[in-house]
Amino acid sequence: MAVFRRRGFARTSIRDLAEATGLHPGSLYQAYGSKEGLFAAAVTTYNELVVEHRVRTHLDEAEPPLRGIDTFFASTFDDDGDDDSAADGPNPGCLLTNTAVEAHLLPGTSRDGVAAGLNLIEQGFQRVLERARQAGQINPTAATDQLAAQLLALYQGVLVLVRFGAPTTKLAAIVAHAVPAIIASGHHAEGST
Amino acid sequence: MAVFRRRGFARTSIRDLAEATGLHPGSLYQAYGSKEGLFAAAVTTYNELVVEHRVRTHLDEAEPPLRGIDTFFASTFDDDGDDDSAADGPNPGCLLTNTAVEAHLLPGTSRDGVAAGLNLIEQGFQRVLERARQAGQINPTAATDQLAAQLLALYQGVLVLVRFGAPTTKLAAIVAHAVPAIIASGHHAEGST
DNA sequence: ACCTTTGTTGAACGTTCGCTAAACAAAGGG
DNA sequence: CCCTTTGTTTAGCGAACGTTCAACAAAGGT
């Protein structure tokens, strides 16, 4: 899973995967049927182990709710993220983002996995925005589904820049301003009505 | 160039490129030295033919200035973009975005090309924001360099979702709300001071 | 016309790829 | 214990890969 995250599907060979898993090619084929099957399983596992965990930690359990959004973004480029990010070398970004740009060249199972992962994130954004609303942190009439979609787009963009190695200070500034701007647009637009 | 954009570096073979260019492998090697050299040249050409053109059309020449930002975003998923986008099949997104997530596995020349392209876009955003400021469309004290960085991140995220095949209506809604929210944050933050 | 330089072609090289199947090992059941 | 089933290993297959180079063609100069 980590190897796919760093190298992408096309550049990761079965031999790379054999080495990373400690299993030999025959076993991998026995278990997953093909390289694509293995990849789809890796995406699913990534969603379960990484995405769900991050969504739960930062979006479902953080207090105050809006603080969780900040840390969700910041943890993509801080060194306190998931295990893979702590490893030496360039930040691997997010398997979903890295895969999204090549997903149309993969079978539908991998694409469905990416879609599921993106949906986890978007729904997580929406839930935390609902919590923020109930906590009086944002306007009661803010369209949280719309805000969640916007945050997802921004999040993907930040991940691209993270992956490309943009300076951490720049990323932090982007997040510090753009996230509140988007969230506040619920306030602002309604406030001026 | 178009093949790289659709398939990425790793998945594009020299034979693909020979077919696309009409030149044989030996000629490609004579001219570019290696597959990586060819790729770096493709990124440079993409910046010159596609990115510069888009930046000039939408950001440098559009009136009113803020309208240009809208069309710059919208043309990533409308069918009236550059020639490649008009072709049949999934939207190829942006070569820079697609490359950014694998750039650390490529030589520095390609990475420099991606950095140059991203910079073209960011500087284009900043120039159009300056124009908007002079036209009285945004707050005179807005930090246009900061806004430009935020717009670049959002733009990259939109491109990821475009590439992944997100519904056009969803993308349009994201752009319609998030872009003005970010731009208005110059207004809003200063307005409340 | 002939020679030199530049550019192109096409076959083939060594390497790597995804994948397979026979051989082997481990686990389970009677 | 023996047999069957399941899982693993390992060598090797055919195909594809990036790249090279001898042969050929085209362009330029005298």
Side-chain angles (χ1 to χ4, degrees):
Chain A
M1 184 181 80
V3 190
F4 276 133
R5 190 177 179 186
R6 290 183 182 283
R7 302 180 59 84
F9 177 80
R11 230 195 219 94
T12 305
S13 70
I14 289 288
R15 287 161 182 79
D16 293 333
L17 295 164
E19 181 177 333
T21 58
L23 298 178
H24 289 81
S27 299
L28 294 176
Y29 280 94
Q30 169 71 15
Y32 301 104
S34 64
K35 186 179 173 187
E36 276 96 352
L38 182 56
F39 190 72
V43 172
T44 299
T45 301
Y46 181 80
N47 285 340
E48 291 167 358
L49 293 190
V50 179
V51 178
E52 284 183 0
H53 178 255
R54 285 175 47 74
V55 166
R56 189 169 58 244
T57 302
H58 294 284
L59 302 183
D60 288 331
E61 296 176 353
E63 294 292 344
L66 291 189
R67 174 104 188 98
I69 297 182
D70 288 337
T71 60
F72 189 68
F73 274 82
S75 55
T76 60
F77 50 88
D78 290 342
D79 284 341
D80 57 351
D82 52 273
D83 289 348
D84 291 343
S85 305
D88 209 19
N91 189 319
C94 168
L95 178 63
L96 301 178
T97 311
N98 303 347
T99 305
V101 299
E102 63 172 341
H104 74 101
L105 297 164
L106 294 168
T109 45
S110 299
R111 283 203 302 279
D112 293 342
V114 173
L118 293 178
N119 204 47
L120 284 176
I121 296 168
E122 187 173 355
Q123 297 301 316
F125 278 139
Q126 188 165 351
R127 290 197 298 277
V128 73
L129 288 165
E130 297 276 0
R131 287 202 300 126
R133 180 157 67 180
Q134 290 175 16
Q137 283 184 303
I138 64 173
N139 192 294
T141 60
T144 55
D145 56 339
Q146 292 269 7
L147 294 183
Q150 293 163 44
L151 287 177
L152 176 68
L154 180 67
Y155 182 64
Q156 293 304 305
V158 167
L159 283 166
V160 168
L161 299 179
V162 165
R163 181 71 165 136
F164 188 62
T168 304
T169 49
K170 180 167 184 172
L171 294 165
I174 289 171
V175 169
H177 291 100
V179 171
I182 286 173
I183 294 171
S185 64
H187 282 233
H188 185 72
E190 299 302 334
S192 50
T193 303
Chain B
M1 185 179 80
V3 190
F4 276 135
R5 191 178 178 184
R6 290 183 181 281
R7 303 178 60 82
F9 176 81
R11 234 195 217 94
T12 305
S13 70
I14 288 289
R15 287 159 182 79
D16 293 331
L17 295 165
E19 180 176 334
T21 58
L23 298 178
H24 287 83
S27 300
L28 294 176
Y29 279 93
Q30 169 71 14
Y32 300 106
S34 64
K35 186 181 172 185
E36 277 96 353
L38 183 55
F39 189 73
V43 172
T44 300
T45 301
Y46 181 80
N47 285 341
E48 290 167 359
L49 293 190
V50 179
V51 177
E52 284 183 0
H53 178 257
R54 286 174 47 74
V55 165
R56 189 170 56 245
T57 301
H58 295 283
L59 303 184
D60 287 331
E61 296 176 354
E63 294 295 342
L66 291 189
R67 174 106 187 97
I69 297 183
D70 289 336
T71 60
F72 188 69
F73 274 83
S75 56
T76 60
F77 49 88
D78 290 342
D79 284 340
D80 58 350
D82 52 274
D83 289 348
D84 290 343
S85 304
D88 209 20
N91 189 319
C94 169
L95 179 63
L96 301 178
T97 310
N98 304 347
T99 305
V101 300
E102 64 173 343
H104 74 101
L105 298 164
L106 292 168
T109 45
S110 299
R111 284 204 301 280
D112 292 343
V114 173
L118 294 178
N119 205 48
L120 283 177
I121 294 167
E122 186 173 356
Q123 295 302 315
F125 277 139
Q126 188 164 351
R127 290 197 298 276
V128 74
L129 288 165
E130 296 278 2
R131 290 202 300 127
R133 181 158 68 181
Q134 291 175 17
Q137 286 184 303
I138 63 172
N139 193 293
T141 59
T144 53
D145 56 339
Q146 294 267 6
L147 295 182
Q150 292 162 45
L151 288 176
L152 175 69
L154 181 65
Y155 183 64
Q156 294 303 307
V158 167
L159 283 167
V160 169
L161 299 179
V162 165
R163 180 73 166 136
F164 188 62
T168 305
T169 49
K170 178 169 186 172
L171 294 165
I174 289 170
V175 169
H177 290 100
V179 171
I182 286 172
I183 295 172
S185 64
H187 283 234
H188 185 71
E190 299 302 335
S192 49
T193 302

